[in-house]
Amino acid sequence: MRHALVFGATGQIGYPLLGLLRNDGWRITALSRAEQSDEPGLQWLRGELPGAQGLPSRVDAIFSCGPLDGFANWYATSQIQAARVIAFGSTSVEVKRGSADAEERDVARRLREGEERVFKTAGERGATATLLRPTLIYGAGRDATLTRIAQLASRWGRFPLPRGANGLRQPVHTDDLAAAAFACANTPATQGQTYALPGGETLTYRDMVARVLASLNPPPTLVELPSPMFNAALFVAQLTGRATGLGEAAVRRMRSDLTFDMSPAQRDFGYAPRAFRPRAQMFQPRSSDEG
């Protein structure tokens, strides 16, 4: 029986990954900040990185489904032995690298350094690592983009966008990401590789938001505003704390294409993500703990 150590196990990717591993007969040790009940084949440890206690000294695979920089720092200083390491980063490592926003550039830097550190540590220990970079994540009501849009639109009864928000996007479902991590663990061709994991459909930012709104009950109205009017509304929303995390760089990206090639993942481990067909329940949290 193979043994997996899973970080971020109660999060939006880790939760469905647990089900895949259990169905395949893995024994699992999982970490959570909140108390969880053990189940056959699944042992929960309470804690968080970097100070988690009671972790096994050896496992067959480590899955990191939480913040990459924290995992990379822990992995570099831990003594754990594992032949395989599969960790999630983000396509933000590319998207935000040249951002006009210093905080976004720092996010990209930390992601890149985290990737490099995971590969370096794995190499020093004779292990093999795989890094996975999702695009816009949705499906578990835990993401900071589409779920946030759904929540605000439901509260206001409408959602504003600047005209011309036609940059291309590839939203990806959490279950498809969990399936990708699971497949990588069983596919030698993925060892030492980094993969972009976009969703199965490419659509404009405007159409993506319109589908989110159409999935809600009642469906809020999409309001497209001229740029000066949108910027003024955004400024007021920022002053009142209703648009935190939405800066000038993020608004500019609504008009930019952010698309990634999934063919390496298709070729190496059969990656086949679904088209973007949102439903209202996808924007409702299915787990209360961040993992």
Side-chain angles (χ1 to χ4, degrees), residues 23 84 93 135 137 148 156 174 182 186 189 197 214-215 260 262 279 287:
N23 288 340
R84 286 290 278 128
V93 70
T135 52
I137 303 174
R148 179 66 171 156
W156 299 337
T174 54
F182 176 76
N186 297 299
L197 297 182
S215 75
F260 298 86
M262 73 171 75
R279 300 187 303 276
S287 176

Side-chain angles (χ1 to χ4, degrees), residues 44-115:
W44 288 96
L45 299 177
R46 186 175 181 181
E48 57 186 308
L49 297 179
Q53 301 295 316
L55 297 176
S57 60
R58 180 183 297 272
V59 294
D60 296 287
I62 302 173
F63 295 87
S64 172
C65 304
L68 179 61
D69 53 352
F71 169 73
N73 292 338
W74 169 83
Y75 182 46
T77 57
S78 73
Q79 301 300 315
I80 193 167
Q81 297 297 313
R84 286 290 278 128
V85 176
I86 298 164
F88 280 92
S90 171
T91 51
S92 292
V93 70
E94 300 292 346
V95 169
K96 297 181 179 179
R97 181 170 53 179
S99 173
D101 188 309
E103 291 186 5
E104 291 189 345
R105 292 197 304 274
D106 185 61
V107 168
R109 177 190 60 79
R110 288 188 284 111
L111 284 167
R112 186 168 299 280
E113 289 177 355
E115 290 184 350

Side-chain angles (χ1 to χ4, degrees), residues 172-231:
V172 60
H173 196 282
T174 54
D175 289 354
D176 294 330
L177 297 176
F182 176 76
C184 286
N186 297 299
T187 308
T190 65
Q191 297 175 6
Q193 302 299 316
T194 299
Y195 296 98
L197 297 182
E201 183 176 1
T202 301
L203 69 167
T204 66
Y205 194 99
R206 186 249 180 232
D207 289 346
M208 178 181 70
V209 172
R211 288 193 196 177
V212 170
L213 303 189
S215 75
L216 305 176
N217 187 23
T221 301
L222 176 60
V223 181
E224 296 181 84
L225 301 174
S227 290
M229 188 179 298
F230 178 84
N231 291 338

